[in-house]
């Protein structure tokens, strides 16, 4: 039995290690940092070190920008047709599909995400590669009827050049493919700066891009644990023509400011504070399903996670009772086991934030009806799935994005009150509501101040749909045909003095 187990582990490790890269990718070379420094990548479920990657410097990042610029201008990229680029993306897509299990294992090991969710993310993230492989051939221009007889008004879309992509740890693959897929489809080249918590997934997919025949320098990956100076370089370098960032509002604002001088294209996908409204007219069973999916995916660490649950008086008791039963049944542990639904929080900072927010709510006399504590017996970064009711509007769990497995419930009387409270935030990424009343559905969907609305649905992201926010949740859209817009410039060509007769 022991021998069988150990041979199983070895073969699993082989599969795992084949795609694990411990060097960064610049100009087609897998390299160390010029400082020779590295940093550790840890499994948040166990605290174990699972790899070391280069801690790259501003000098390294500059080389990556130079490589991306050179690749952008090279014949191997610029001379390609949209169909050629599409075919390369298709090859990348099929390689990611082929290695889905290995990538998912790497992702679970470095992010703590339950393995089934990691597999789901590979499918979801890879769908953007497929989508943009298709979109690459549809970046149409226009010929607009001219106001003058001897002119033609031609509008075409051209790639912006080098794009810097800064991505977070909560979707280590999808946030890269959603940006890089669009950028490459448009004809740009990229420098990716993945999160310091999850660089291994990024390097693994970059390896597959190389195998897919994407030319050297088109995708560069810079790993670092000191993001700020590299972020500043991206913003200030005239050779970087656009920045796409997914992460905290605080860092997004900093990047936005730093890009002002160079009037740089910026796409920002920042934090949310998603309302989840359950009206008396709702199908409560469906609302509970949606609440579980929206709140507990990735242990609540998604920017579209429902953050404030507003539940109408008539269905309040039923909704809370059913939700409590479901939350108590969640299986918590190391995400590598197939039956685990809740993994650890990503790091100590995140753990302290979540537990601090719950303590703040407790101090402000909210009711903690489930959870409300750390689970050190499982691991240092595990926090119990928690439900807090009677949440005062002054509590941090009400005003801020929790990014953890905490449900905050507020009772309301009527639709106007719910909509007003839902909109009473500077953020506007996603919003959800449950109602079987058609009139109410259209009224509320139009009034919610968010970029994305889930009506009777808790999981709404898809490659075909535009992802993005309003207010302080960001600018720009990812995915869908609009996802290309941030990577192209519109050029107007006036063809004058034409002789038609
Ligand atoms: P989170 O709270 O989700 O970790 P962050 O905004 O801190 O969000 O991180 C998202 C990404 O932004 C990561 O890749 C991180 O390394 C990077 N980052 C953090 N600080 C900066 C910065 N000052 N400039 C550029 N990138 C940054």
């Amino acid at each position: 039995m022991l021998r069988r187990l150990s041979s199983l582990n070895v073969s699993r490790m082989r599969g795992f290690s084949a795609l694990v890269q411990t060097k960064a990718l610049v100009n087609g070379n897998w390299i160390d940092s010029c400082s020779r420094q590295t940093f550790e990548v840890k499994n948040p479920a166990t605290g174990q070190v699972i790899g070391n990657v280069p801690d790259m410097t501003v000098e390294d990042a500059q080389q990556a920008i130079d490589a991306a610029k050179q690749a952008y201008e090279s014949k191997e990229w610029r001379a390609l047709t949209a169909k050629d680029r599409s075919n390369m993306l298709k090859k990348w897509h099929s390689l990611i599909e082929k290695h889905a299990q290995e990538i998912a294992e790497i992702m679970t090991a470095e992010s703590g995400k339950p393995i089934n969710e990691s597999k789901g993310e590979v499918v979801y993230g890879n769908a953007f590669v497929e989508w943009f492989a298709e979109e690459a051939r549809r970046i149409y221009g226009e010929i607009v009827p001219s106001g003058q007889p001897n002119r033609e008004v031609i509008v075409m879309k051209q790639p912006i050049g080098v794009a810097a992509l800064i991505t977070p740890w909560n979707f280590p693959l999808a946030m890269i493919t959603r940006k890089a897929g669009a950028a490459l489809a448009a004809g740009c080249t990229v420098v990716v700066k993945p999160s310091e918590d999850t660089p291994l997934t990024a390097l693994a997919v970059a390896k597959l891009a190389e195998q897919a025949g994407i030319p050297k320098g088109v995708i560069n990956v810079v790993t670092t644990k000191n993001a700020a100076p590299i972020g500043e370089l991206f913003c200030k370098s005239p050779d970087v023509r656009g920045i796409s960032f997914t992460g905290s509002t605080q860092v997004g604002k900093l990047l936005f400011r730093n890009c002002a001088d160079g009037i740089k294209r910026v796409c920002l996908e920042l934090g949310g504070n998603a309302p989840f409204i359950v009206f008396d007219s709702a199908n409560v069973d469906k609302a509970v399903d949606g609440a579980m999916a929206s709140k507990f995916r990735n242990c609540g660490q998604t920017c579209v996670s429902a953050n404030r649950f507003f539940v109408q008086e008539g269905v309040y008791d039923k909704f809370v009772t059913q939700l409590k039963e479901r939350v108590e049944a969640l299986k918590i542990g190391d995400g590598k086991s197939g039956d685990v639904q809740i993994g650890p929080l990503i790091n100590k900072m995140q753990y302290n934030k979540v537990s601090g927010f719950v303590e703040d709510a407790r101090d402000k006399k909210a009711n903690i009806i489930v959870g409300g504590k750390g689970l050190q017996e499982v691991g240092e970064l595990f926090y119990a799935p928690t439900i807090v009711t009677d949440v005062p509007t002054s509590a941090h769990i009400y005003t801020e994005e929790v990014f953890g497995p905490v449900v905050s419930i507020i009772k309301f009387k009527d639709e106007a009150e719910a909509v007003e409270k839902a909109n009473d935030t500077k953020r506007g990424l996603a919003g959800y509501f449950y109602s079987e009343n058609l009139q109410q559905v259209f009224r509320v969907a139009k009034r919610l101040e968010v970029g994305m609305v889930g009506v009777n649905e808790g999981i709404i992201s898809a490659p075909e749909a535009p992802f993005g926010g309003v207010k302080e949740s960001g600018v720009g859209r990812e995915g869908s045909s609009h996802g290309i817009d941030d990577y192209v410039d519109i050029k107007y060509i006036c063809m004058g003095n034409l002789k038609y007769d």
Side-chain angles (χ1 to χ4, degrees):
M1 178 65 188
L2 206 70
R3 277 178 60 185
R4 256 191 59 208
L5 253 183
S6 62
S7 70
L8 198 84
N9 278 343
V10 169
S11 70
R12 279 174 66 82
M13 281 306 289
R14 266 200 211 115
F16 180 86
S17 61
L19 271 186
V20 173
Q21 304 300 314
T22 52
K23 309 263 185 207
L25 178 62
V26 174
N27 205 20
N29 301 313
W30 293 90
I31 59 167
D32 290 316
S33 163
C34 63
S35 71
R36 304 275 149 206
Q37 299 294 307
T38 60
F39 66 95
E40 292 177 340
V41 184
K42 287 187 180 169
N43 181 333
T46 60
Q48 246 180 345
V49 176
I50 54 170
N52 286 276
V53 295
D55 186 12
M56 298 187 96
T57 63
V58 168
E59 207 180 325
D60 296 311
Q62 182 61 55
Q63 278 181 22
I65 295 170
D66 294 344
K69 188 175 180 218
Q70 212 182 342
Y72 177 67
E73 286 164 357
S74 77
K75 275 224 312 260
E76 285 80 60
W77 192 241
R78 189 164 261 189
L80 294 187
T81 61
K83 187 174 177 183
D84 294 333
R85 288 199 306 274
S86 171
N87 284 339
M88 276 183 193
L89 286 169
K90 281 182 194 161
K91 272 194 201 146
W92 192 23
H93 172 263
S94 83
L95 283 170
I96 293 175
E97 195 169 61
K98 187 168 153 208
H99 293 277
Q101 178 67 27
E102 289 162 74
I103 300 171
E105 286 177 15
I106 294 171
M107 195 187 294
T108 289
E110 67 178 352
S111 75
K113 189 176 281 208
I115 188 72
N116 288 331
E117 286 191 28
S118 294
K119 287 186 203 163
E121 183 183 336
V122 177
V123 173
Y124 165 70
N126 204 17
F128 287 100
V129 181
E130 183 180 41
W131 171 263
F132 285 116
E134 293 159 352
E135 285 298 296
R137 304 190 64 191
R138 298 185 200 117
I139 304 176
Y140 301 139
E142 300 158 14
I143 298 180
V144 185
S146 167
Q148 299 184 33
N150 57 349
R151 279 191 180 185
E152 292 292 349
V153 174
I154 298 175
V155 179
M156 63 168 67
K157 291 181 181 171
Q158 293 187 305
I160 58 170
V162 176
L165 316 177
I166 304 176
T167 58
W169 45 264
N170 60 344
F171 288 93
L173 182 139
M175 294 306 99
I176 293 174
T177 52
R178 195 159 79 176
K179 296 177 193 303
L184 267 55
C188 297
T189 57
V190 301
V191 179
V192 181
K193 208 299 287 164
S195 166
E196 52 277 33
D197 289 309
T198 56
L200 297 177
T201 306
L203 294 171
V205 290
K207 183 78 192 165
L208 295 175
E210 183 182 55
Q211 287 173 15
I214 293 175
K216 69 175 184 156
V218 170
I219 298 182
N220 304 275
V221 183
V222 174
T223 53
T224 184
K225 68 173 173 18
N226 191 11
I230 290 181
E232 197 177 330
L233 173 71
F234 288 161
C235 296
K236 304 239 157 114
S237 165
D239 291 332
V240 174
R241 289 311 316 146
I243 294 203
S244 180
F245 168 79
T246 299
S248 62
T249 306
Q250 184 198 357
V251 174
K253 285 183 180 180
L254 176 75
L255 296 172
F256 209 4
R257 265 185 234 116
N258 284 345
C259 283
D261 258 358
I263 316 288
K264 197 160 289 189
R265 300 287 287 277
V266 185
C267 177
L268 301 172
E269 302 292 354
L270 311 178
N273 183 2
F276 186 108
I277 310 171
V278 186
F279 289 106
D280 281 347
S281 60
N283 175 325
V284 174
D285 296 344
K286 283 192 186 144
V288 171
D289 286 344
M292 293 300 294
S294 169
K295 183 74 244 184
F296 291 105
R297 189 166 59 126
N298 202 14
C299 198
Q301 302 173 109
T302 85
C303 48
V304 289
S305 250
N307 205 50
R308 297 164 298 152
F309 288 74
F310 300 102
V311 186
Q312 200 161 5
E313 287 173 332
V315 291
Y316 184 86
D317 290 343
K318 188 175 175 193
F319 178 83
V320 173
T321 308
Q322 286 192 19
L323 192 71
K324 183 165 177 274
E325 274 170 25
R326 294 278 293 274
V327 170
E328 284 170 337
L330 285 169
K331 175 107 173 48
I332 301 153
D334 185 333
K336 72 180 184 196
S337 310
D339 56 346
V340 162
Q341 295 162 295
I342 299 285
L345 292 163
I346 186 73
N347 54 34
K348 195 68 190 162
M349 203 172 82
Q350 198 57 31
Y351 178 93
N352 289 341
K353 179 181 162 198
V354 172
S355 59
F357 276 13
V358 175
E359 288 322 305
D360 166 75
R362 204 191 303 269
D363 289 347
K364 291 175 177 157
K365 308 285 179 252
N367 269 327
I368 293 160
I369 63 167
V370 187
K373 58 180 173 34
L375 298 173
Q376 269 61 51
E377 63 280 18
V378 187
E380 197 194 350
L381 299 177
F382 285 84
Y383 196 83
T386 298
I387 301 181
V388 188
T389 59
D390 307 307
V391 177
T393 52
S394 62
H396 291 318
I397 53 171
Y398 185 89
T399 54
E400 310 285 327
E401 184 179 39
V402 182
F403 240 61
V406 180
V407 179
S408 312
I409 306 185
I410 302 104
K411 199 188 272 186
F412 72 88
K413 282 194 169 56
D414 59 35
E415 184 185 299
E417 180 193 350
V419 172
E420 192 194 326
K421 285 186 166 153
N423 290 339
D424 182 23
T425 165
K426 288 181 181 168
R427 311 282 178 87
L429 193 57
Y432 309 84
F433 69 93
Y434 279 71
S435 167
E436 298 287 316
N437 173 336
L438 185 68
Q439 301 300 331
Q440 184 170 51
V441 161
F442 277 92
R443 249 188 342 257
V444 176
K446 283 191 160 192
R447 283 183 193 157
L448 285 181
E449 295 169 359
V450 293
M452 298 169 281
V453 184
V455 183
N456 298 323
E457 194 54 73
I459 301 275
I460 56 176
S461 303
E464 306 80 15
F467 188 105
V470 300
K471 295 161 118 179
E472 290 190 11
S473 286
V475 288
R477 291 293 178 272
E478 292 190 327
S480 79
S481 56
H482 303 286
I484 297 282
D485 295 350
D486 283 307
Y487 302 98
V488 289
D489 285 321
I490 291 178
K491 182 178 279 177
Y492 155 48
I493 301 173
C494 174
M495 302 288 293
N497 282 304
L498 297 166
K499 290 196 169 68
Y500 282 123
D501 42 17

